[in-house]
Amino acid sequence: MTLAFCGTENNSAAYKVNHGVLNNGCFVDALNVVPHVFLLFITFPILFIGWGSQSSKVHIHHSTWLHFPGHNLRWILTFILLFVLVCEIAEGIVSDGFSDSRHLHLYMPPGMAFLAAITSIVYYHNIETSNFPKLLIALLFYWTLAFITKTIKFVKFCDNKIGPPQLRFCLTGLLVLLYGMLLLVEINVIRVRRYVFFKKPKEVKPPEDLQDLGVRFLQPFVNLLSKGTYWWMNTFIRTAHKKPIDLKAIGKLPIAMRALTNYMLLNEAFKTQKNTDTPNPQGSKSIWCALCHAFGRPLVLSSTFRILADVLGFAGPLCVSGIVHHVGKGNITFRPRTKILGVFFISSQEFLANAYVLAVLLFFALLLQRTFLQASYYVAIETGINLRGAIQTKIYNKIMRLSTSNMSMGEMTSGQICNLVAIDTNQLMWFFFLCPNLWAMPVQIIVGVLLLYYLLGISALIGAAVIIVLAPVQYFVATKLSQAQRSTLEYSNERLKKTNELLRGIKLLKLYAWEHIFHSSVEETRQKEMTSLRAFALYTSISIFMNAAIPIAAVLITFIVHAHVFKNADFSPSVAFASLSLFHILVTPLFLLSNSLGETHKIGTTLSSTLSSIDIRIPQGQLTMIVGQVGCGKSSLLLGILGEMQKVSGNVTWNSPERETAVDLETRKRGSVAYASQKPWLLNATVEENITFESPFNKQRYNAVIDACSLQPDIDILPHGDQTQIGERGINLSGGQRQRISVARALYQQTNVVFLDDPFSALDIHLSDHLMQEGILNMLRDDKRTVVLVTHKLQYLPHADWIIAMKDGTIQREGTLKDIQKSETELFEHWKTLMNRQDQELEKESLIERKAVLDRKTLQSTVYSREALLQDDEEDEDETPESDDEDNLSSVFHQRAKMPWRACGKYLSSAGFLLLPLLVLSQLLKHSVMVSTDFWLAHWTWSAIAFRGAKNCSYEQECRFDHSYYSKIFTILCGLGIILCLITSIAVEWTGLKVAKKLHCLLLNKIILAPMRFFETTPLGSILNRFSADCNTIDQHIPATLECLSRSTLLCLSALAVISYVTPMFLIALVPLAVICYFIQKYFRVASRDLQQLDDSTQLPLLSHFSETVEGLTTIRAFRYESRFKQKLLEYTDANNIASLFLTAANRWLEVRMEYIGACVVLIAAVTSITDSLSHKLSSGLVGLGLTYALMVSNYLNWMVRNLADMELQLGAVKRFNSLIKTEAEKYEGLLSPAQIPQNWPDQGEIQIQNLCVRYDSTLKPVLKHVNAHISPGQKIGICGRTGSGKSSFSLAFFRMVDTFEGRIIIDGIDIAKLPLQTLRSRLSIILQDPILFSGTIRFNLDPEKKCSDSMLWEALEIAQLKHVVKALPGGLDASITEGGENFSQGQRQLFCLARAFVRKTSIFIMDEATASIDMATENILQKVVMTAFADRTVVTIAHRVHTILNADMVIVMKRGVILEYDKPEILLEQEGSVFASFVQADK
């Protein structure tokens, strides 16, 4: 057939110009080409030749600057224009199909217009990003010409009586309107920017965000096309494949998305709410109103996008119905009646009667629907992230005003606050994400039911009724699921609390052989958690089953009723497959309705009075000391002065002249106070950052402070010196090091007031003296700083300018030492007996101290020996270690792009050999049955329609098709499908349960039996993460992801197989699509994993900042550093939010691309199946089947890739579990059987140490070298030596806590190396330097084995000077101890540990510097009690204060792992040059 612009028919009206050229349709169409040709010729040279040479370009780092008015409107109008032009081209082709010759003028002008429209927007984008508006003049001319030519065409149509019934008339009218509106947009740009026709053009500056090179999140600034397709992410995702994404790569947040901006927005909303609200504006209703006021607008936008997407979603089933219907009729359309100006005009109905047109419309509808859906998701999540940042900031500001007394009373724990931040704010964020879904659901349900009714009549309502009737059941299951999840969370928190305590107190548990008690306690809680998890798994599997089975049941009932009850009703493939698609759409909103919101936490406060009748004056510029017995209120007094206690009456005045009236603390703002708390508080930062604490660095002062606190030897053994990162709570430092760094911080600050709360408690006498002389006296007092020192070391009292003595929460006496000597002779004499040393001896002591060489290369050096363990999160034996060599770089990236198959194998193999085949077979069978069901439906409907077409009968009865055979098979297949849905959902969840139970049990057993060395080299947080986050992932997330991944993958594969079977031509197009898909998923998975890890890793500093702040609230407020910490929080929140935003954008990037590929699959499947059907007579049933499955691909393709990425990330938890499970256990079994060990061993308490050599690890140097000693039964042995001399290692050797590689220890004739560890440790007693208490009752803390009577426990408490304290508590022995014993003072905790050791009544008793936190009076009493109560037992005392071992039978002096001196103390004191004698001299 020949081609001609105006057609080749004879006597064609196209060539007649009798009534003037403008009345010739072909001429008018030719005239319409002119503007488009003009634009193409004008813009192409500018775009491709001269672009980039303009000198007036504004140099900004992103080509994303939106600065022309009407930008978004222009893009929207251009998109609509392009769609209308595609319709005009299609209309031209379809209407021309009825003519005898081809009329190019029907579709060539719109084709040119289409090219011109694309060029116009590309041209505009380039002009806009280079800020060269003068070139827009070309577009002004183009829109003017296009508007004029299109208006002429429209007017001529009106003249020829062509009206709305003709589609071409409507399209032309629309184009006139669009060109007119684009012309107005162009004129508006001139009006605002004044780039032509005005003398002074308007200067516009780039947005502030784009001037900041750090802002890399460009979604708010890019054009609409890039916004909708996330095109700007392409570069980012490509870069991620080349190098790992870090915080630097993702940059800063745009200003509008920062936590501070959103916090101010939320605060403003709260203020507005308070002004307009009811008298009680604090309720949850008020909070919701404020949240909606601050963040409601974007939610409305998201909901609008969602509703539009849902409405467009129904185009799928309708187009499928139309295509199958027309294919069934051979795509025959009636010849149009209207022929004007020599060409045919078709109506919209005739236009839509073409199957190919429907296929193209379906493609566009899918593109638009997916774009709107992803836009809705993005806006909702972005709003949620902004809200989360604002809420977290608000919570933090509230914490800064929280009373510390609430914390110490256990009413508000650090864990609760972390839960509030980590869980509740995220739940709120996801609720905001779900809101648009909830609001769009009613629209989706109503439209879906109406369309089903339109297709199937009454039978559709029966099917819909099935779904609606089962909806309450779904809701009930979802409620139960939510309850099970809550209950699981409670048990999980309880298990974590117990695991945390177990790990923090692991040293004590091993020494006391109590591992089994705590192990069984954790296991018991785990069993409760597993019971809850079983319920969770059951309801999850029911939920998954119902989601899969309800559409099958609804379809089955609907089709059976439709076929058998309404026998004359249409049961064609077009109706059946459109209905099938609609049922699948309907189930989703009903399933989503079951999502529910989490709980809110409420905080209450109760307090009791601690201090009373306090009336003191602290002299300015002098040293004030506060002394008193344990628990008398010394620390509380400091907290009260700082305003940390709840004040009942009275006031605190700062820097007030004597004559001035008292000014309340609230009125007179106090300055910054350098405060060192009794329990050292350290930041998760470097040693230097902990000491300088945000103050400017002054090297001279810093070195002086390091020297005063004797920190240099400690810093020397740290792997990176003072730049070494201190772990959470100073986990990788000893108690003394933590204490000295805390004091160093207070010394370094240039504040007028310094508060030191018992800074000597964890220090030996030499360190204490040095700190007192060089730090407190030389640095602070000589600088005329006001110093308040709480201490038990009474020997320092002569240095005090002012002394405050406390007793039972009141002031016993205050004044100078001379005042007290005169007025309180008895008290002074009592002190004098405790002092044991005079002031003038200080000089001699400091000389001895300077000579001492402090060798601390013991346990602290071992902490860092395996730094790899600090990064244990990702390392495993199958990982390629990263190196600096470029050769290895490619292998590293290859590793990043690889799936962790080994972890996957480990997970699945843990399920056992019964569940695994069941899981795989049930999934394969289920999808095979579902495909068979749909094939049978295609066969059934095609048979029904073929029967009707074949029978040309006179009687209606003869024409009736017998559905019974087909419906029986269909029912059997559907029933089988439903059963298999149940089996697969249960199999997946039960597999998950079995694996979760097995892995946790394995890990707990391994960890609890691991050697102490493991805990010293592995950060506690790292082990705890395995039990918390990773365990939660394995328990709850992996089974759901596994089910989702297998379902979406098998659905996609079965869909592609069905389409390929129906139309083999599809396979040709599938190859390039599969290649594109492969590369998209490959790039996405790498970026997604990096971003997910970045999201998690940025959340950790945020949460630790919250817990750090809670623990150091007193210190922060004392220093007046609230604003600095708030600023830090904003930085951490923004870092977490930018990672979350990039992750969201990456997910949208993937989904948009996968949805578009899905739309291409639908288009290709539709076009090939229509062509096959028309040429090879492919049955319309199979066409319907193919198209239904093609729609399914578009739904499940992105789910497959997303779940693959999630699975890869979640399998990391299995990998990390696996690496810890490989930890080697201690050798618990011994050479002797229980029968060979005497029941009461050791009954004598005789210890023989023969050539003992000990080390912490086979890779380290020995800490004890060839030690020999003999301790007789009942002897009292004192061990002393400098820090790091091996004293503690000596005590640990008795318990085989360290590696004895040479020599042996014989206790009562038995070599301890031959004993089972459990037996050995259970027969000895030890008190450690750091007091460890567990949450629970006092009874549990003293006797967890439940072996002792009450009278024995009371006796132990009496010995430990605690009987009166416990008696005063409600419940006595059953009184509660909070986590870590926080409701008792440090000294009282140590006394409880002493009582615990007394309860055991073993014949060998070891005290490892156990009285460091106790005042001298209490210590003296204890020493006497120990000597009398343990007269018949062997007692080994490791001493800080040498005077405590003067009464010992024998003294061992140690240095660098060897025994220097070993004799009776009186003999050693008489010896000339004795080291022990020098120690005693120093301690006087």
Side-chain angles (χ1 to χ4, degrees), residues 1349-1366:
S1349 63
D1350 280 14
S1351 59
M1352 290 164 79
L1353 297 180
W1354 283 117
E1355 185 192 345
L1357 287 170
E1358 193 168 8
I1359 290 170
Q1361 315 294 303
L1362 281 172
K1363 189 174 182 180
H1364 66 287
V1365 176
V1366 176

Side-chain angles (χ1 to χ4, degrees), residues 1289-1301:
S1289 309
F1290 190 85
S1291 66
L1292 293 176
F1294 291 120
F1295 295 84
R1296 279 170 46 201
M1297 293 285 277
V1298 281
D1299 176 24
T1300 305
F1301 65 96

Side-chain angles (χ1 to χ4, degrees), residues 1195-1343:
N1195 281 328
Y1196 288 104
L1197 205 56
N1198 72 69
W1199 275 109
M1200 183 176 79
V1201 181
R1202 280 281 298 280
N1203 286 315
L1204 195 65
D1206 287 349
M1207 196 66 183
E1208 185 178 12
L1209 195 76
Q1210 288 164 9
L1211 284 172
V1214 178
K1215 200 160 76 173
R1216 291 189 290 272
F1217 248 67
N1218 207 22
S1219 63
L1220 275 195
I1221 286 169
K1222 289 175 182 169
T1223 308
E1224 280 189 37
E1226 278 186 290
K1227 290 172 185 170
Y1228 269 75
E1229 58 286 341
L1231 298 172
L1232 300 176
S1233 66
Q1236 292 172 291
I1237 305 160
Q1239 191 70 37
N1240 58 345
W1241 178 92
D1243 52 347
Q1244 301 295 314
E1246 183 189 17
I1247 304 168
Q1248 288 173 284
I1249 300 162
Q1250 299 171 355
N1251 198 34
L1252 185 70
C1253 294
V1254 159
R1255 63 191 172 194
Y1256 279 93
D1257 192 74
S1258 56
T1259 59
L1260 299 170
K1261 291 176 185 176
V1263 285
L1264 290 182
K1265 303 159 199 167
H1266 308 290
V1267 172
N1268 289 283
H1270 180 260
I1271 300 168
S1272 305
Q1275 263 192 335
K1276 309 293 176 279
I1277 304 293
I1279 303 177
C1280 62
R1282 300 278 161 84
T1283 304
S1285 59
K1287 306 187 298 290
S1288 293
S1289 309
F1290 190 85
S1291 66
L1292 293 176
F1294 291 120
F1295 295 84
R1296 279 170 46 201
M1297 293 285 277
V1298 281
D1299 176 24
T1300 305
F1301 65 96
E1302 206 178 309
R1304 57 184 187 160
I1305 299 174
I1306 297 166
I1307 299 176
D1308 283 1
I1310 296 177
D1311 183 351
I1312 63 166
K1314 295 178 181 178
L1315 289 167
L1317 269 184
Q1318 187 77 14
T1319 309
L1320 169 67
R1321 291 171 182 173
S1322 63
R1323 308 281 178 92
L1324 307 175
S1325 290
I1326 187 168
I1327 308 169
L1328 292 171
Q1329 182 182 348
D1330 292 326
I1332 297 166
L1333 293 183
F1334 302 100
S1335 56
T1337 60
I1338 292 171
R1339 186 192 303 278
F1340 172 78
N1341 270 278
L1342 297 180
D1343 178 34

